[in-house]
Amino acid sequence: MFRRGSHRAVVGAVAVAVLSACSMAPPYVRPDASVPDVFKELPRHSGESPSAAERSTTEAWKTAEPAEDTFRGEWWRVFNDSTLDGLEKQAAQANQSLKAAAARVQQARALVQSARSNWFPSIGAGFGPTRQHMSPASQFLPDNTEVPDQTLWRAQVSASYEPDLFGRVSDNVSASRSDEAQSEALFRSVQLALQADVAQNYFQLREFDAQLGLYRKTVALREDALKLVESRFNAGEIGELDVSRARSELATARADAVGVARQRAASEHSLSILLGKPPADFTFPETPLVPVQAHIPAGLPSSLLERRPDIAAAERAMASANARVGLAKSAFFPQLDVTGAFGYESATLGDLFQWSTRAFLLGPFAGTALTLPIFDGGRRSANLAKARAKLDEDVAQYRQQVLVAFKEVEDSLSNLRLLDDQISEQGFAMSASERAEQLSATQYEEGQVSYLDVIDAQRQVLQSELRSIHLASEQAVSTVALIRALGGGWAESQAQIGSEGESQKKTVERR
């Protein structure tokens, strides 16, 4: 049978264990978000219903489950462009914003380890002398008694431990783990944004290259036209007005070419920064843009909640805020600190480690082991209100992020759908403007129209060609934007996060 003291100790230990398993955090439930059945701007065949169009892409509705650990894959390979592949590889290795995001992940992991350390006791050792003067009253001596100073040598091992009452430690660990998961999702968001920025900047740079090639061709044509006009002027067939107009058009084409070169230089500098290089160390060879065709399956709207890393980050922020509500609640309940020390103390160093000099202390050095807050002027209530308000804020931000994600997908889908129609109509416009230029040149040589009509026709051809180049660039940029809005590529693997150099090969583990 247990003695009375042993029985009470067992009961106390069981009570501490029960309270340690009790978390004050409310049950975490992912809030509902408004999710449509299908994307509104999804391209459909004539006469096909939205549901039928969506079934042609995927089979049926599925409940959204977070999948922020899904590797987004090298989605840019859909463009089959080896130059773009190389640029993406350089950006992944050297971009400083990506390295900063990876470092933030490492910080979050360290904070998780710090929070988990509170589950274990802290043990330390100390050695050294203390010099003290005791008052006569503390020794129950008359006031005028001379109490000599004394030196005490101590060598001891101390330990302290706070049981996880009311989930004070476990809720903090849970919040830290959610913060870590949020940091990892934000890393993937930065990574996806970087990949998309590199691709979009690359296509825009190639657009400028195509424009430069067009302006060179235009300048050459303007120079030939000026020679023709000057020869006719010298022959007395036309007046000086046509010569002045031809020279004006040539100078304008040259000035526009310089303007495009200026824009190209700024775009090249921006790309170099994305690659982690100073602009002086990066030169992109002139590569005119050619139209790209890449058809991206949009999938179900519900899958967007699984794939978008920014949505995953917002969801993890809610989980962290929910755990911190429990942490704020635990402040209203008792806190138990178990401390102790064992060692030796002696007035002389030579006698320190004798058996008779052993000493121990069980309990806090000051105060009491079990503390219960009674009055703090409303500080704990304010902290709890703040934690609940932060949870409400994160819920609203999560739902807003979901809405923004759907908007970005719809924008990209509508851009691509309407760009197809616009490019088709622009092809007709270009053919018509080229025909008008041919007719006006022939009629001018025959003296049927003025040179102003020729200039106007040439301007129309130039503008049509510039618009065609811009639309081709917009199509490529919008395709990248759709991939980014959908959350990246489709390959299944594990993502990798690191801080510097080889550490970028560390695998992210789901916690």
Side-chain angles (χ1 to χ4, degrees):
M1 294 180 64
F2 287 113
R3 291 185 297 177
R4 183 182 301 273
S6 300
H7 178 73
R8 289 176 178 176
V10 171
V11 171
V14 172
V16 169
V18 171
L19 292 176
S20 298
C22 178
S23 171
M24 303 306 298
Y28 176 67
V29 179
R30 188 178 299 108
D32 296 332
S34 179
V35 181
D37 292 341
V38 295
F39 289 113
K40 173 184 176 182
E41 300 292 346
L42 190 69
R44 304 180 182 100
H45 300 294
S46 177
E48 188 178 15
S49 66
S51 58
E54 192 61 33
R55 282 194 298 270
S56 67
T57 302
T58 185
E59 288 298 324
W61 172 269
K62 61 190 291 289
T63 302
E65 298 175 356
E68 64 268 26
D69 282 340
T70 301
F71 186 44
R72 269 60 190 175
E74 297 179 339
W75 54 262
W76 53 88
R77 292 188 180 275
V78 72
F79 296 106
N80 195 27
D81 190 324
S82 59
T83 302
L84 178 59
D85 296 344
L87 294 175
E88 293 286 358
K89 183 178 180 180
Q90 293 179 49
Q93 293 175 346
N95 183 266
Q96 298 304 309
S97 296
L98 189 63
K99 289 178 180 291
R104 288 192 290 271
V105 173
Q106 301 303 323
Q107 295 174 42
R109 289 176 177 172
L111 290 176
V112 171
Q113 184 63 34
S114 176
R116 292 180 61 187
S117 67
N118 292 323
W119 272 329
F120 306 97
S122 297
I123 301 175
F127 170 79
T130 59
R131 183 72 173 173
Q132 63 183 8
H133 176 80
M134 309 294 291
S135 67
S138 66
Q139 303 300 312
F140 302 98
L141 298 173
D143 293 343
N144 296 328
T145 304
E146 188 70 25
V147 179
D149 297 343
Q150 54 181 318
T151 299
L152 282 180
W153 289 83
R154 288 190 177 90
Q156 62 184 16
V157 176
S158 61
S160 62
Y161 176 66
E162 178 187 353
D164 187 16
L165 298 185
F166 306 100
R168 183 176 283 106
V169 176
S170 57
D171 285 341
N172 188 36
V173 172
S174 178
S176 298
R177 283 176 171 170
S178 295
D179 289 340
E180 178 194 8
Q182 181 189 13
S183 295
E184 292 174 355
L186 289 175
F187 171 87
R188 295 186 183 91
S189 184
V190 172
Q191 186 180 52
L192 178 58
L194 171 64
Q195 294 166 350
D197 288 344
V198 169
Q200 291 178 329
N201 200 304
Y202 168 72
F203 287 122
Q204 289 171 348
L205 190 57
R206 292 188 61 182
E207 175 190 356
F208 292 133
D209 289 340
Q211 290 180 357
L212 282 175
L214 176 59
Y215 273 112
R216 291 193 190 98
K217 176 183 175 183
T218 301
V219 168
L221 292 175
R222 295 287 190 273
E223 291 174 343
D224 293 340
L226 177 60
K227 292 177 182 178
L228 175 62
V229 171
E230 287 177 338
S231 65
R232 295 190 65 185
F233 172 73
N234 294 332
E237 298 178 4
I238 59 175
E240 186 180 356
L241 179 60
D242 287 353
V243 177
S244 297
R245 285 172 174 168
R247 290 173 178 171
S248 174
E249 288 301 307
L250 175 58
T252 299
R254 287 173 174 169
D256 290 342
V258 174
V260 173
R262 178 175 55 83
Q263 292 177 308
R264 185 195 187 278
S267 180
E268 185 182 66
H269 300 163
S270 298
L271 182 57
S272 70
I273 299 302
L274 293 174
L275 302 181
K277 299 179 180 180
D281 294 342
F282 176 74
T283 300
F284 185 78
E286 187 170 320
T287 311
L289 179 69
V290 295
V292 298
Q293 294 291 334
H295 300 286
I296 310 301
L300 286 167
S302 62
S303 66
L304 200 63
L305 305 185
E306 304 174 9
R307 298 169 55 82
R308 291 267 300 218
D310 54 346
I311 293 179
E315 190 273 333
R316 288 292 88 197
M318 288 189 300
S320 176
N322 187 81
R324 287 192 164 88
V325 170
L327 196 60
K329 285 182 178 180
S330 67
F332 288 86
F333 296 90
Q335 179 177 352
L336 178 61
D337 292 313
V338 180
T339 58
F342 175 81
Y344 300 89
E345 64 178 20
S346 173
T348 61
L349 181 59
D351 297 332
L352 180 60
F353 293 102
Q354 293 185 9
W355 185 248
S356 61
T357 63
R358 67 188 185 281
F360 75 91
L361 172 68
L362 183 61
F365 297 103
T368 58
L370 186 64
T371 58
L372 175 65
I374 297 176
F375 177 76
D376 60 3
R379 184 177 65 252
R380 286 167 296 140
S381 298
N383 289 338
L384 179 58
K386 177 184 176 182
R388 286 172 170 166
K390 182 63 170 64
L391 177 58
D392 292 341
E393 176 191 1
D394 289 339
V395 169
Q397 288 182 344
Y398 168 78
R399 288 171 172 160
Q400 178 66 18
Q401 193 63 46
V402 171
L403 293 176
V404 170
F406 287 135
K407 173 188 176 297
E408 291 175 352
V409 174
E410 298 285 10
D411 287 347
S412 299
L413 288 173
S414 63
N415 281 344
L416 289 172
R417 176 173 57 83
L418 296 174
L419 273 171
D420 286 340
D421 297 338
Q422 191 175 3
I423 290 173
S424 178
E425 295 298 329
Q426 183 60 34
F428 295 132
M430 181 179 293
S431 298
S433 63
E434 289 174 344
R435 178 58 178 166
E437 181 190 26
Q438 295 172 357
L439 293 174
S440 63
T442 302
Q443 292 175 356
Y444 174 71
E445 292 175 358
E446 295 174 353
Q448 298 179 9
V449 297
S450 68
Y451 191 66
L452 186 62
D453 294 320
V454 177
I455 291 175
D456 184 64
Q458 291 176 343
R459 287 176 180 171
Q460 289 297 326
V461 171
L462 177 60
Q463 292 302 317
S464 293
E465 291 179 335
L466 287 175
R467 278 195 291 269
S468 295
I469 293 173
H470 180 68
L471 289 176
S473 174
E474 281 291 304
Q475 189 175 48
V477 169
S478 295
T479 301
V480 174
L482 175 59
I483 296 174
R484 177 178 179 175
L486 291 172
W490 303 269
E492 295 293 333
S493 182
Q494 283 185 314
Q496 292 182 338
I497 295 178
S499 56
E500 290 288 338
E502 291 299 321
S503 63
Q504 286 192 314
K505 299 180 181 179
K506 293 180 180 179
T507 301
V508 174
E509 298 177 355
R510 175 70 174 170
R511 284 171 170 77

